[in-house]
Amino acid sequence: MLPLVLLFASALASGPPIPIEDPNVCIDENGYIPGITFGLDCCAFVVCDAARLNKTGFQGACMGGTVWNNDLKVCDDPKYVPDCDPTTCEVPKRTSAPCADAQPTATTCCVGQNPDQGINGYEPVFTAGTSSGGYYVGPDVDIELESFCPFGQDFVLESCCCEYEYFEDPICAEDPESYFFPNPDDPCCSFLRCFFNRSGYETLVCMGGSVYNAENQTCDTIYNVMDCMGAVCDNDFTDPPCDDSGLGDCCRAGTWFNAVADDPTQYEIVAGPGKGEASPFGDSRLSCCPVNMDGEQMEFNATPGICCCEVPDTV
């Protein structure tokens, strides 16, 4: 995996569906369109609704002082998007105050609720509407302030959000205790992983040299699956190759990196996937190594063949 530490800031979805005149724009923009295309500010973006054939989209807003970077399709530090001033953006405020009462009730709910763990969720409280797909923000019901879910969705108290009515795929409904099934068209070299709501599945392949073991629901050595002893699964997984440009200190998965001499916890993304638009202060993108799960600060190792963040060897 490419060891990039990008600034993925929180994004808040809001507002009614936005009409999209040309659905092909969603394909060209990989499902995310800059908000300025629709007259919104530069901190906004629109997520295409594929379920509605990309004829509508939903507005999102970058929070925490970040702005929309359309090159990387993420909320990013404004220094990498010099044409956007976050102080000019209208970003909705979000509270993390917990809901006072246990949720959901017969008519109200809170986002993040989990009654099995005693979690009430977080404000605001939402109230189910009197009409199909309707809801209210707050405990008070005022017909003039009723909001509505996008077309084809209903407000569900258990999840406290708008959801489509899903129908279980026959394959995923065969075993209610499992989400993994052999691929009927290729039972040895691939398998099916069902969506959480069992409305469909995605097809995944086992890496070369392994086959799918339906008994333990994982890819396994070929010698443990008698029915697949004669199978040949030639599924190669490779990262993008590094070119011979020599643009940085080291290269990994097609991207060139430079170490930062006076701060080993930082590195520069010089060229390749993930760089996006360069900062106006230089031709490279500066990133930081994270802290690992043990609380240890990682440092960038530019040694060819390593070229990633790791905990320094203190021995």
Side-chain angles (χ1 to χ4, degrees), residues 84-140:
C84 182
D85 179 1
T87 62
T88 64
C89 299
E90 295 184 7
V91 180
K93 294 183 178 180
R94 182 167 61 180
T95 176
S96 58
C99 290
D101 301 318
Q103 298 294 334
T105 70
T107 57
T108 65
C109 63
C110 293
V111 175
Q113 64 196 11
N114 190 325
D116 294 336
Q117 298 182 11
I119 300 175
N120 296 347
Y122 300 93
E123 294 182 353
V125 175
F126 290 86
T127 303
T130 56
S131 54
S132 177
Y135 64 92
Y136 301 90
V137 180
D140 299 327

Side-chain angles (χ1 to χ4, degrees), residues 292-308:
N292 68 9
M293 297 182 67
D294 295 325
E296 301 171 306
Q297 175 62 58
M298 304 175 74
E299 297 181 359
F300 187 73
N301 187 339
T303 303
I306 299 179
C307 202
C308 67

Side-chain angles (χ1 to χ4, degrees), residues 159-221:
S159 60
C160 205
C161 67
C162 296
E163 293 186 358
Y164 288 102
E165 183 180 2
Y166 293 105
F167 299 93
E168 291 189 348
D169 185 276
I171 292 179
C172 298
E174 290 181 2
D175 183 0
E177 300 297 324
S178 175
Y179 288 94
F180 299 91
F181 299 90
N183 182 359
D185 299 325
D186 186 14
C188 289
C189 299
S190 62
F191 59 98
L192 310 179
R193 181 171 64 185
C194 293
F195 304 146
F196 183 75
N197 57 19
R198 299 185 182 278
S199 63
Y201 54 82
E202 59 180 336
T203 302
L204 303 176
V205 296
C206 292
M207 296 185 68
S210 66
V211 294
Y212 184 67
N213 187 329
E215 184 175 348
N216 57 19
Q217 298 184 350
T218 186
C219 293
D220 200 352
T221 177

Side-chain angles (χ1 to χ4, degrees), residues 224-249:
N224 291 337
V225 187
M226 293 298 297
D227 293 339
C228 296
M229 290 291 288
V232 178
C233 301
D234 187 21
N235 301 322
D236 294 328
F237 290 80
T238 59
D239 289 322
C242 290
D243 57 34
D244 57 358
S245 61
L247 294 175
D249 295 334

Side-chain angles (χ1 to χ4, degrees), residues 8-14 32 43 45 47 59-64 66 68 74-75 91-92 94:
F8 287 86
S10 298
L12 180 67
S14 62
Y32 293 86
C43 297
F45 58 94
V47 184
Q59 178 183 346
C62 294
M63 303 182 71
T66 60
W68 181 246
V74 298
C75 293
V91 180
R94 182 167 61 180

